[in-house]
Amino acid sequence: MHALNFLDCNCGVGPWAGGSGARYGDSVATLLGKMDSLGIAEACPYALSEYEGNAGSGNAELAEALRGQPRLHPVLVVGPNACGEFLSARDLPARMSACGARMARLPLGPFTAMKELEVRLIEDLLDEMNLRRIPLLIDCIASIDQAPLDPLIEILSTWQNIHVILSFPKVEAGERRLFYLWERFNNFHVELAGYQGLGMIEDVSRRFGGSRIIYGSRYPHFTPMQSMLQVIYSAVEPSVKQEIAGGTLRRVLGEVVS
Amino acid sequence: MTVSLRDAALRGKPLTQALIIDWHVHLGRWLLTYSPVVDEAMFAAMERVGVSKICVNGSFFPSAREGNNRVAEFARRFPERAVPFAFLNPYQNDLLDELKRCVEELGMRGLKVHSMIQGPHSRDAGLFDWSPVWEYCGRAGVPVLAHGIVHDEDIRRHPGTVFVIAHGIGVGLRMRGLRECANAYVDTAWTQTRASSLKEMVEIIGGERILWGSDAPLDDFAHRLGVVLDAGLSEEEQRKILGLNAARLLRLSL
């Protein structure tokens, strides 16, 4: 087994209507089994059901499901709370504190509450997260283009205490913007599961340091082994591999003010 | 004690105990994505994971003929590493003439076709007749790696020609319809398919008709290996997919 201390920043648990029966939408037990088989030390799961159905119910179910699981750190899903269904900025600290969550994630996509990143709709949330140094995983479900450059710049420059982890399912032309952001914002990171170009770990680490890519699996959609092997086989120093595997995320989570 | 491929990979060891042939690799760079590692610079990454050979095509080059020449030259320089595949653009060259040049003069072993580059309507609109290409490939034993262009009726009408549907492990529904076509294959290259897709595809068409491909340099060899090694397949099935099937189609001496 590898010697890396992996912490998966992007995995889901629980039922999901878009899946096919029991194969999709894994239980906590299945997630832990998969982690054990691959040597993943810890993970930050979110509720798959939070991406559909009744806003808020998935977060509550997740908190309950992960109770007493020291290796699993819940991530609460947030959304545009203009109508009051999503987690409000006022409630966020207490809800996170109650379940031990230290990260939030914002889904963007054609079948979510926010198709494209719109900062105005979440600015009160960002104020609160900035105050408490809570990292935000922005999940572009379909395409990196759901997080355009200007809103990303606004978040990274206005709320500088928020570490933004951008996640997307595949590399494509929009990836050029990543380099623009890496160069200018130390609080900008990219999650690895969809960033699979040959030599990217080496190239990005050389240009910007190992802290700018963070291991994530997008499990259960992808196998965690895909991006794990990218890290394990990459031609970078072991210390850089460890940063990517979990070191950076542990540091960022450690800065959260509860 | 024999270490499984999966365990060896998790230890970061080159998988030299298996023959690994990457069925789907591009020479050069593509405007759509940024690729810091291309051409012979890919060899170091191949060595780290244990990839023996790559089947390279020239679809990234604006001129198909120039791309084919570059691929042939690359394979001449690195005969132990590279297996050359032809690429055709019906808007630039006579399909059959260029294919014959590639196979008979340049020693190409496979053919890559791509709808994005060759125009999605080049076949459907009846602008070009690809049938002579498929017939030639069948006669010459040249497998076709098809990203679009090839329809199910082509596969059925040309049972002697091997068609490999690029990125095909995610097209379970289509492959159910082609289950009885022994000449219909899929590859594992760059897709965002579910983790369970490969296992499901093995259940549909069997492990003998699936080829491992990475789509490098768009994808990392190691990344695509994970798709096979964590799919819950037997070691024998993994080895077929990772290289033995490709060696059989390409008639490589092992």
Side-chain angles (χ1 to χ4, degrees), chain B residues 47-61:
Chain B
E47 287 170 11
R48 284 199 300 278
V49 301
V51 175
S52 302
K53 292 182 186 298
I54 50 176
C55 300
V56 287
N57 67 74
S59 66
F60 288 173
F61 292 88

Side-chain angles (χ1 to χ4, degrees), chain A residues 111-147:
Chain A
F111 298 104
T112 72
M114 195 184 284
K115 289 185 171 57
E116 191 176 292
L117 186 57
E118 294 169 309
V119 178
R120 295 285 81 76
L121 294 178
I122 52 170
E123 55 190 353
D124 55 343
L125 206 61
L126 295 170
D127 284 339
E128 188 63 36
M129 292 176 66
N130 190 61
L131 198 66
R132 298 175 183 279
R133 309 181 81 89
I134 297 167
L136 175 66
L137 187 145
I138 297 177
D139 182 10
C140 303
I141 296 171
S143 163
I144 192 174
D145 290 335
Q146 289 159 337

Side-chain angles (χ1 to χ4, degrees), chain A residues 5 7 20 44 54 57 85 96 98 112 118-119 134 141 151 167 169 171 182 186 191 194-195 199-200 202 210 226:
Chain A
N5 192 12
L7 167 56
S20 55
C44 294
N54 297 315
S57 61
E85 323 116 286
M96 293 190 78
T112 72
E118 294 169 309
V119 178
I134 297 167
I141 296 171
S167 174
V171 294
W182 271 319
N186 288 329
E191 185 264 318
Y195 200 48
M200 295 314 300
E202 293 84 348
Q226 295 178 196

Side-chain angles (χ1 to χ4, degrees), chain A residues 34 196 207 221 223 233, chain B residues 13 32 34 48 195 220 230:
Chain A
K34 177 60 78 175
Q196 67 272 64
R207 292 182 189 221
H221 306 281
T223 160
Y233 279 116
Chain B
K13 304 294 183 194
L32 186 63
Y34 165 62
R48 284 199 300 278
D220 188 306
D230 197 40

Side-chain angles (χ1 to χ4, degrees), chain B:
Chain B
M1 193 177 82
T2 309
V3 177
S4 71
L5 293 170
R6 187 174 184 274
D7 287 348
L10 286 172
R11 293 177 192 178
K13 304 294 183 194
L15 305 182
T16 48
Q17 70 268 47
L19 173 67
I20 303 183
I21 300 172
D22 191 332
W23 181 260
H24 192 145
V25 174
H26 300 271
L27 204 64
R29 287 188 165 85
W30 194 24
L31 179 66
L32 186 63
T33 62
Y34 165 62
S35 296
V37 175
V38 298
D39 303 344
E40 56 262 48
M42 294 190 286
F43 294 161
M46 288 169 61
E47 287 170 11
R48 284 199 300 278
V49 301
V51 175
S52 302
K53 292 182 186 298
I54 50 176
C55 300
V56 287
N57 67 74
S59 66
F60 288 173
F61 292 88
S63 160
R65 194 177 174 89
E66 170 63 16
N68 288 331
N69 291 340
R70 295 278 292 271
V71 165
E73 173 60 21
F74 186 77
R76 266 195 297 273
R77 286 172 58 209
F78 307 107
E80 298 302 315
R81 305 267 199 184
V83 180
F85 275 31
F87 183 73
L88 298 177
N89 187 329
Y91 296 99
Q92 295 178 355
N93 311 104
D94 179 86
L95 289 168
L96 205 50
D97 285 350
E98 179 62 6
L99 179 58
K100 285 181 176 175
R101 183 182 82 91
C102 288
V103 173
E104 296 167 19
E105 295 177 27
L106 302 179
M108 303 272 187
R109 309 290 292 272
L111 168 65
K112 169 79 185 284
V113 296
H114 198 303
S115 59
M116 187 184 297
I117 293 158
Q118 293 157 326
H121 306 300
S122 70
R123 177 197 183 286
D124 297 338
L127 296 174
F128 303 99
D129 180 12
W130 288 80
S131 298
V133 171
W134 314 147
E135 286 163 13
Y136 178 88
C137 287
R139 284 197 306 275
V142 171
V144 179
L145 173 57
H147 184 136
I149 302 285
V150 171
H151 288 199
D152 291 0
E153 66 196 55
D154 295 318
I155 296 172
R156 292 196 177 92
R157 281 180 189 166
H158 301 278
T161 304
V162 168
F163 294 94
V164 181
I165 298 169
H167 321 287
I169 58 167
V171 295
L173 195 60
R174 181 180 183 189
M175 293 312 293
R176 282 183 198 283
L178 292 168
R179 190 198 309 253
E180 305 308 321
C181 297
N183 60 328
Y185 287 62
V186 298
D187 83 14
T188 66
W190 189 43
T191 69
Q192 287 70 54
T193 48
R194 299 194 316 248
S196 59
S197 295
L198 180 56
K199 177 91 171 175
E200 289 166 3
M201 190 56 74
V202 170
E203 289 166 1
I204 295 168
I205 62 172
E208 290 76 17
R209 285 157 57 188
I210 302 173
L211 303 165
W212 181 70
S214 71
D215 216 359
L218 307 182
D219 205 334
D220 188 306
F221 300 117
H223 182 268
R224 276 341 264 175
L225 273 177
V227 173
V228 178
L229 300 181
D230 197 40
L233 304 176
S234 69
E235 190 92 355
E236 184 187 358
E237 286 170 326
Q238 291 176 30
R239 286 170 186 262
K240 285 178 184 172
I241 292 167
L242 289 174
L244 294 177
N245 293 340
R248 187 185 78 240
L249 288 185
L250 296 168
R251 300 186 302 279
L252 299 178
S253 52
L254 303 178

